[in-house]
């Protein structure tokens, strides 16, 4: 049996990193160095370098679809014309927040909101991040509202502790295997990582 490869990774931000690490933990894959974390534009500027690096090691690049393309294959084709065999390019539809919302029971409990308020089709949302913020606005817990919802006069689009709260949720409460049932793009990501893991286990 070959030793499982350590994945190098590139992501848009720290919440994406937490989500990716949680998924890899779920499928028993190890994440090494993580690059990017400076937004989508920065990630796209570096994508050719990550693709070249993937000729030597396994890399996983996680990017949000947002409204940049109609679908994940279209976005991938626009970013990389000839992906390396060891480059795992994954697109979250529409963003990783949709993956977090896809575990409805856990996010409802974490945000302290009724389950029926959590959308059943997270990938159909135009702005999943804004949905989380709106859910938090109706939270029974004051600390959730204060951390996630932006202050009216603050000029921010999210609360000051939004990222740390989402990381907390992703690391400790989110269930990727459950969420995958409501998110096709997440399910595809998990399936691809499991295929690689299985290949190495059987080699």
């Amino acid at each position: 049996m070959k030793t499982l490869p350590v994945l190098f990774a590139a992501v848009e931000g720290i919440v994406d990193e937490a989500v990716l690490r949680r998924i890899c933990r779920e499928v028993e894959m190890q994440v090494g160095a993580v690059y990017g974390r400076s937004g989508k534009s920065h990630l796209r500027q570096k994508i050719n370098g990550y693709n070249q690096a993937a000729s030597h090691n396994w890399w996983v690049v996680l990017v949000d679809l947002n409204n940049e393309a109609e679908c994940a294959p279209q976005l991938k084709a626009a970013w990389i014309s000839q992906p390396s065999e060891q480059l795992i390019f994954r697109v979250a539809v529409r963003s990783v927040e949709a993956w977090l919302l896809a575990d409805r029971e856990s996010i409802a409990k974490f945000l302290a909101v009724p389950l029926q308020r959590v959308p059943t089709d997270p990938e159909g949302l135009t702005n999943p991040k804004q949905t989380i913020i709106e859910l938090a606005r109706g939270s029974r817990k004051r600390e959730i509202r204060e951390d996630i919802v932006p202050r009216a006069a603050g000029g921010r689009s999210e609360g000051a502790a939004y990222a740390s709260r989402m990381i907390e949720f992703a690391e400790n409460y989110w269930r990727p295997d459950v969420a995958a049932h409501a998110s096709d793009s997440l399910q595809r990501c998990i399936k691809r990582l499991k295929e690689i893991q299985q290949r190495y286990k059987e080699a």
Side-chain angles (χ1 to χ4, degrees), residues 78-109:
W79 278 44
I80 313 173
S81 57
Q82 293 182 317
S84 167
E85 184 181 352
Q86 294 187 110
L87 180 73
I88 308 166
F89 189 87
R90 290 291 105 187
V91 181
V93 179
R94 300 265 161 200
S95 67
V96 292
E97 279 82 359
W99 290 3
L100 299 177
L101 283 166
D103 182 2
R104 296 179 66 234
E105 291 182 0
S106 296
I107 193 79
K109 187 174 181 180

Side-chain angles (χ1 to χ4, degrees), residues 58-161:
W58 282 98
W59 275 75
V60 55
V61 174
L62 176 61
V63 59
D64 292 343
L65 179 64
N66 294 330
N67 295 308
E68 187 176 333
E70 292 187 6
C71 61
Q74 192 179 88
L75 181 73
K76 182 179 180 181
W79 278 44
I80 313 173
S81 57
Q82 293 182 317
S84 167
E85 184 181 352
Q86 294 187 110
L87 180 73
I88 308 166
F89 189 87
R90 290 291 105 187
V91 181
V93 179
R94 300 265 161 200
S95 67
V96 292
E97 279 82 359
W99 290 3
L100 299 177
L101 283 166
D103 182 2
R104 296 179 66 234
E105 291 182 0
S106 296
I107 193 79
K109 187 174 181 180
F110 182 76
L111 296 177
V113 298
L115 176 61
Q116 61 268 28
R117 287 199 57 205
V118 181
T120 56
D121 180 19
E123 292 192 339
L125 298 170
T126 303
N127 189 337
K129 181 176 180 178
Q130 189 59 37
T131 297
I132 289 177
I133 291 171
E134 290 306 315
L135 286 171
R137 197 182 301 277
S139 174
R140 295 187 298 272
K141 294 183 179 178
R142 187 182 67 182
E143 59 268 30
I144 287 291
R145 298 194 300 272
E146 291 179 347
D147 287 350
I148 295 179
V149 180
R151 296 185 179 181
R156 297 170 58 109
S157 61
E158 61 195 47

Side-chain angles (χ1 to χ4, degrees), residues 18-33:
V19 168
L20 181 61
R21 287 187 180 279
R22 178 67 186 89
I23 294 169
C24 287
R25 193 173 86 209
E26 182 77 11
V27 300
E28 299 178 346
M29 295 285 285
Q30 185 178 353
V31 179

